[in-house]
Amino acid sequence: MPVQARRHSSAYQSQPPHARDVEKLSHYKSSPQQQQQQQQHHHHHHQQQIQYHHNHRRRDSTTSESEDDSLSSSAPSYQPIMNGAVRRARGGGPGIFYRVPNRIMRKLCLGLLVALILFIGSLFRFTLPTVTPVPLELPKPISKPPPWESFPFLKRYHGGVRSLVSRKENVPEYPGDSADDVLASHINSEEQSAAKRDQKSLTMSSEVFNPYPDYASEAYQSKYGEKRECFLNEAGTVRLPRVQSFPGVPQGFPDAVMGSNEMIGIRDDVCFDRFGRLGPYGLGYGAKRGGSGAGLEGDREGAERVWDDYPPVDFREVSWAKAQNHCAVINSHRFADLPEPRLDRFLAMPIGSINVAHPVSSPPQDAKNPPKVGTDRLPRTAVIIRTWSDFQYTTEDILYLRSLISELSLLSGGEYTVHFLIHVKDLNLQIWADDDTYERVLHDALPEEFRGMGTLWSEKQMELFYPGLEETLARGLAVHGVYRSTFMPMQYFSYVHPEYDYYWNWEMDVRYTGHWYHLFDKVTGWAKQQPRKGLWERNARFYVPSRHGSWDDFRQMVRVQTELGTDSPNNLWSAVKLGGSADQANDKSAVQRQVEKFVWGPLRPHERDILEVEGEGIPPTTIDKDNYKWGVGEDADLIVFNPLYDPEGTTWLLRDDVTGYNRDEGMPPRRTAIITASRLSRKLLHTMHKETALKRHTMFSEMWPATTALHHGFKAVYVPHSVYIDRRWPTEYLESVFNAGRNGASGGARTAVFGDREHNFKGTTWFYSAGFAPNLWRRWLGYKVDNDGGEEEELVGEGRMCLPPILFHPVKSVNMVIDDGLV
């Protein structure tokens, strides 16, 4: 609006009402020309007012209608009557949103789509390999602990020699399930323990433990001949002290939860303290007297009883190789003649060195005092200690080895011969090409007192002996390696040393609180009396006396479970595979209860050309006609200390480590026994040797001997020795866990304890991962474990621990307290 017009408008509005009336009157009195000019002036003025109001509304869209009305009322003489109606008709009223044109909206959507595509492309770019991922450490979810960890610990394993009672009078802390009985026995044991502590003296004294036959009897000598006494020195003057035991067990000592020593024939009514068990081999006296220097602390009351009959031995002058070979020579009339030794180290794996000055092939001629010869000959048995060339022997290891050689070889008159089969891991050592290197490695591989008893072997040697094997690299390991093929060197050793009838594959981490000869004698004798009928089925189960009752009850239970099956969700497998019909496999009601066929004779693999050897176990009759007679009195070809279970269907990681077998119809039938500590016959080892050399067959170490026996019908026996557990498991639950496989067996199903559920063995005394075994062994030696036990507790409590015969595995690297300054 022009300045003049705005001024006129403002002046016009500022006049009083009467002045405007005068102006209107003068308008009517003016001339026509003047009136026309005035009309033009007013018309122009009105157009400026309309334009002003229109522009003002466009600049301020938020102005309310009340404000517009007030503005229009202030100038009624120039406001158009239809102005407000026009504005409302055009939709320009306040409160109505502005509509974006379609053309602009299309552009906005297209831009948003392009931006979304670019964003997705940028995310995809981060997944390309050129981008280095940033590792993020997320917290792992806390898994629920297994049920057994919530069970309370048993307390009476650590009872001392001042709390001994006879086995018949003992009220075991476990496995009784009655809380009242447990509480009463615990209170009773506490009261008796307090009484023993007040007495401060032993109520029982140790006695010599003698498990050997009556060698001096007429009946024995007429059958096997005269047994000549063996000594530690050539002069025949140094005798070994005898192992001592106490007649009884600590009050409240638990019973074994699995297996039974009493059933096998092992004396379970005695216990052994550390001095009575290891005192004959150097425990309890100082190094200046030729002892170990260990065991000089703690409770020693009654310890000197061990050396009442024979003085302590100075082991600094002992050569076990000479003593063992001399013992074999003077008792050779009790055994079959030895073949001539083969001296080629590479081909024959000789025992010891070719320079050994104590041959074993020619017995001395004593014309003045010839030995009495019997009608029969005793079998020869080799005990093979598996070790390696850089193994570091502790004082405790040496005590263990001395006990083995003494009790099995010397005191038995040569019935056992102990050897060391030594693995040379360093492949750069030229042990096969240089005599000096061989002698040096063999010399350094054993402590001085055991030198002359070793044989070296290497994995490259096994590759040459057994070439052509399929290399599957299971778990990234070679098929000739010691982990996958532990028995390869045993196979070849037996092949070049056929003078032995049986071979114990023994390990450096096995311990026994009882007497070694007693264990081996009773175990082999019990296995010999086992009938073949139902044997593989019994072998597959843990024997829990508190649940299964007597051994006869257990045998009948196994027969029923095999013949009728069990109502269990663990039996979800094919009926056809077990010998049933296709109709049974399709029958849903048959899924929960599936019968099995008894293993009767050889269970062959799926091969066109079966290797058959002499002496295979062909049944003399059908299983229905046999009245548990076949196999009784037959020596076992394989003896193990854990169940021989079926790995098929289990979660055991090594179940498929099978080499060279036809798999067109699936895996061959297999059996497994965890822990390779076992006894194998010459027949079994020679068959394993032929299978590997001629058929290119082998399997994982713990599966290979048992499976070979299964395929050829050899007699294999699991011996249910006493296994103890550290917590108060409900026995019904325990049996359901350890026999959670197919039809009440320990294997054959995903629910088997072998595999993902092996953690349940941690609290036991016999398994490769058992934690209770090394802890209880160390406590028995007098040392603290988890701040419990030790010298102070022994002196103020019940005295040193006393344990019945228990087989422990694994026990590794026990560092004993050595005092070299005391005599």
Side-chain angles (χ1 to χ4, degrees):
M1 177 185 298
V3 176
Q4 184 178 1
R6 290 199 303 269
R7 287 178 180 177
H8 180 81
S9 176
S10 60
Y12 178 80
Q13 293 177 357
S14 62
Q15 293 179 358
H18 66 273
R20 290 198 299 270
D21 295 337
V22 173
E23 186 178 354
K24 290 180 181 181
L25 183 61
S26 62
H27 171 71
Y28 290 109
K29 291 180 180 183
S30 60
S31 63
Q33 293 83 6
Q34 292 177 342
Q35 291 179 358
Q36 184 178 4
Q37 291 178 354
Q38 289 177 354
Q39 288 177 355
Q40 292 178 350
H41 173 76
H42 283 293
H43 177 74
H44 178 71
H45 179 73
H46 286 315
Q47 290 295 328
Q48 288 179 340
Q49 288 293 332
I50 293 172
Q51 183 70 24
Y52 168 78
H53 286 290
H54 179 69
N55 292 339
H56 178 70
R57 291 182 63 85
R58 293 183 63 181
R59 286 193 303 267
D60 190 5
S61 61
T62 61
T63 306
S64 65
E65 290 189 11
S66 62
E67 292 174 343
D68 293 340
D69 294 342
S70 64
L71 181 62
S72 62
S73 64
S74 64
S77 59
Y78 59 83
Q79 181 73 24
I81 298 174
M82 298 297 294
N83 186 36
V86 171
R87 288 200 310 269
R88 287 190 295 272
R90 291 179 179 177
I96 299 177
F97 293 100
Y98 176 74
R99 180 178 180 182
V100 180
N102 293 338
R103 178 174 55 83
I104 297 176
M105 180 62 69
R106 285 195 298 271
K107 291 181 179 180
L108 289 175
C109 292
L110 180 62
L112 181 62
L113 177 63
V114 172
L116 182 62
I117 293 174
L118 293 177
F119 176 71
I120 295 175
S122 65
L123 294 179
F124 176 75
R125 182 175 61 85
F126 287 109
T127 65
L128 298 178
T130 56
V131 179
T132 303
V134 178
L136 296 177
E137 295 184 1
L138 299 177
K140 295 182 179 180
I142 300 176
S143 59
K144 185 178 179 180
W148 61 265
E149 291 189 3
S150 64
F151 300 148
F153 284 99
L154 300 173
K155 300 179 180 180
R156 293 306 302 163
Y157 283 116
H158 310 125
V161 292
R162 297 193 186 98
S163 65
L164 299 181
V165 296
S166 68
R167 172 66 82 171
K168 293 181 179 180
E169 296 176 359
N170 181 49
V171 180
E173 180 187 13
Y174 181 76
D177 292 329
S178 172
D180 295 336
D181 293 343
V182 171
L183 180 61
S185 64
H186 178 67
I187 295 174
N188 187 27
S189 64
E190 288 292 333
E191 293 176 351
Q192 293 194 15
S193 297
K196 300 296 182 184
R197 288 194 295 269
D198 293 339
Q199 294 176 10
K200 296 294 182 182
S201 62
L202 296 176
T203 58
M204 298 183 182
S205 60
S206 61
E207 302 171 350
V208 173
F209 186 84
N210 182 17
Y212 299 99
D214 186 1
Y215 293 120
S217 67
E218 182 64 27
Y220 183 91
Q221 292 189 4
S222 63
K223 186 174 183 179
Y224 296 115
E226 179 187 357
K227 181 254 183 184
R228 294 289 179 91
E229 185 178 6
C230 301
F231 298 86
L232 287 176
N233 62 342
E234 295 182 359
T237 58
V238 179
R239 290 183 173 91
L240 276 165
R242 300 297 188 260
V243 172
Q244 303 270 330
S245 65
F246 285 91
V249 295
Q251 170 62 42
F253 193 88
D255 287 340
V257 69
M258 291 182 286
S260 171
N261 282 346
E262 183 180 5
M263 181 195 66
I264 297 171
I266 298 175
R267 288 190 60 184
D268 211 29
D269 59 345
V270 295
C271 68
F272 299 82
D273 72 317
R274 60 178 179 269
F275 295 113
R277 181 68 188 89
L278 299 177
Y281 312 114
L283 181 72
Y285 58 100
K288 291 185 177 180
R289 298 169 57 190
S292 64
L296 303 180
E297 70 286 339
D299 175 39
R300 292 180 56 90
E301 184 180 4
E304 302 296 329
R305 175 73 180 86
V306 179
W307 303 287
D308 283 350
D309 298 329
Y310 303 106
V313 176
D314 186 351
F315 287 97
R316 294 172 295 182
E317 306 296 331
V318 172
S319 170
W320 291 101
K322 292 181 179 179
Q324 179 173 245
N325 289 331
H326 184 263
C327 186
V329 167
I330 64 176
N331 286 281
S332 59
H333 59 279
R334 303 167 64 213
F335 309 94
D337 293 337
L338 288 171
E340 290 294 327
R342 299 173 62 181
L343 302 180
D344 189 337
R345 292 191 182 93
F346 183 73
L347 298 177
M349 298 178 68
I351 302 169
S353 170
I354 61 174
N355 298 321
V356 174
H358 35 275
V360 298
S361 58
S362 300
Q365 299 296 328
D366 189 353
K368 296 182 179 180
N369 186 23
K372 182 177 181 179
V373 180
T375 58
D376 296 343
R377 294 292 182 269
L378 290 168
R380 293 182 182 273
T381 302
V383 180
I384 309 299
I385 308 298
R386 304 300 299 274
T387 182
W388 53 95
S389 57
D390 56 352
F391 183 86
Q392 300 298 315
Y393 293 87
T394 66
T395 299
E396 192 266 346
D397 292 325
I398 292 176
L399 294 174
Y400 159 63
L401 294 172
R402 288 172 181 171
S403 68
L404 275 173
I405 303 171
S406 171
E407 295 164 18
L408 292 176
S409 180
L410 299 187
L411 295 177
S412 71
E415 293 181 30
Y416 298 84
T417 304
V418 179
H419 301 302
F420 292 86
L421 195 55
I422 305 168
H423 179 200
V424 180
K425 299 180 181 179
D426 188 353
L427 300 179
N428 294 319
L429 294 174
Q430 298 298 322
I431 57 177
W432 312 121
D434 182 69
D435 285 345
D436 293 336
T437 302
Y438 188 98
E439 292 292 345
R440 176 177 57 82
V441 173
L442 184 59
H443 179 275
D444 296 340
L446 292 172
E448 182 177 358
E449 59 187 283
F450 305 116
R451 287 169 186 164
M453 302 175 65
T455 301
L456 304 182
W457 74 277
S458 69
E459 294 178 5
K460 287 295 182 182
Q461 183 190 20
M462 295 301 106
E463 291 181 21
L464 294 175
F465 290 153
Y466 301 109
L469 294 179
E470 176 189 3
E471 183 54 87
T472 58
L473 291 176
R475 298 177 64 83
L477 300 171
V479 69
H480 292 92
V482 67
Y483 183 71
R484 292 180 60 194
S485 298
T486 300
F487 287 97
M488 274 189 185
M490 285 287 291
Q491 293 170 196
Y492 197 76
F493 186 90
S494 70
Y495 175 70
V496 298
H497 290 288
E499 65 268 23
Y500 297 107
D501 301 283
Y502 303 99
Y503 305 78
W504 282 94
N505 184 73
W506 215 239
E507 302 177 6
M508 280 297 301
D509 56 357
V510 177
R511 298 293 184 270
Y512 188 53
T513 53
H515 195 284
W516 288 113
Y517 185 91
H518 190 50
L519 172 69
F520 284 9
D521 180 61
K522 296 304 180 182
V523 161
T524 56
W526 186 84
K528 185 176 182 178
Q529 298 305 316
Q530 296 309 298
R532 291 283 202 126
K533 186 175 181 178
L535 180 59
W536 284 102
E537 290 70 30
R538 295 192 299 275
N539 286 337
R541 289 159 170 81
F542 285 97
Y543 172 50
V544 183
S546 60
R547 299 298 303 172
H548 297 145
S550 68
W551 182 254
D552 288 337
D553 294 338
F554 174 71
R555 187 175 69 176
Q556 294 303 320
M557 182 200 72
V558 173
R559 181 185 63 82
V560 172
Q561 288 180 338
T562 306
E563 290 180 348
L564 303 180
T566 59
D567 289 324
S568 172
N570 304 335
N571 296 333
L572 300 176
W573 73 95
S574 172
V576 176
K577 184 175 182 180
L578 295 173
S581 64
D583 294 337
Q584 286 179 317
N586 296 326
D587 185 6
K588 294 183 179 180
S589 64
V591 172
Q592 297 298 322
R593 183 182 289 272
Q594 293 290 347
V595 301
E596 297 180 66
K597 283 188 175 181
F598 285 93
V599 177
W600 189 245
L603 190 59
R604 303 294 192 185
H606 315 300
E607 301 285 330
R608 294 189 181 94
D609 185 16
I610 299 295
L611 175 67
E612 295 187 15
V613 297
E614 183 180 357
E616 295 206 343
I618 306 301
T621 182
T622 62
I623 190 171
D624 295 333
K625 294 181 180 180
D626 180 76
N627 191 21
Y628 294 95
K629 297 297 183 182
W630 182 41
V632 176
E634 176 189 7
D635 283 302
D637 295 292
L638 177 65
I639 297 176
V640 296
F641 294 98
N642 258 338
L644 290 157
Y645 73 95
D646 183 0
E648 183 68 26
T650 68
T651 58
W652 186 50
L653 294 176
L654 301 159
R655 63 188 179 277
D656 296 330
D657 187 2
V658 176
T659 302
Y661 282 88
N662 178 23
R663 302 189 186 183
D664 293 342
E665 301 180 33
M667 283 287 184
R670 310 179 302 288
R671 293 296 184 270
T672 303
I674 302 299
I675 301 177
T676 59
S678 54
R679 194 194 79 161
L680 301 90
S681 68
R682 180 175 62 228
K683 180 174 66 175
L684 175 58
L685 280 171
H686 284 196
T687 304
M688 294 162 61
H689 168 71
K690 290 182 178 180
E691 287 277 6
T692 306
L694 303 180
K695 295 297 183 180
R696 308 295 193 265
H697 291 165
T698 189
M699 294 184 186
F700 184 73
S701 300
E702 291 167 316
M703 192 161 47
W704 181 225
T707 301
T708 303
L710 180 70
H711 290 174
H712 293 273
F714 296 157
K715 186 177 182 180
V717 179
Y718 153 54
V719 179
H721 63 106
S722 289
V723 176
Y724 295 83
I725 202 162
D726 64 342
R727 300 175 189 247
R728 183 178 297 283
W729 287 53
T731 53
E732 183 177 2
Y733 172 73
L734 180 142
E735 197 274 336
S736 67
V737 168
F738 286 93
N739 288 329
R742 184 177 62 216
N743 281 337
S746 61
R750 289 189 60 83
T751 52
V753 72
F754 299 104
D756 295 341
R757 306 179 73 193
E758 288 179 358
H759 60 84
N760 289 284
F761 286 99
K762 288 186 178 295
T764 65
T765 52
W766 182 258
F767 202 67
Y768 76 90
S769 59
F772 184 44
N775 288 348
L776 189 57
W777 179 261
R778 285 176 170 83
R779 283 288 301 269
W780 178 75
L781 287 174
Y783 298 112
K784 274 191 173 185
V785 176
D786 298 331
N787 293 323
D788 290 328
E791 181 178 17
E792 183 178 355
E793 184 171 323
E794 287 184 358
L795 295 176
V796 301
E798 300 176 6
R800 59 190 179 276
M801 285 176 54
C802 197
L803 294 176
I806 303 176
L807 199 57
F808 291 104
H809 185 278
V811 177
K812 303 175 185 289
S813 304
V814 178
N815 296 316
M816 307 184 77
V817 177
I818 307 298
D819 190 344
D820 294 332
L822 298 177
V823 296

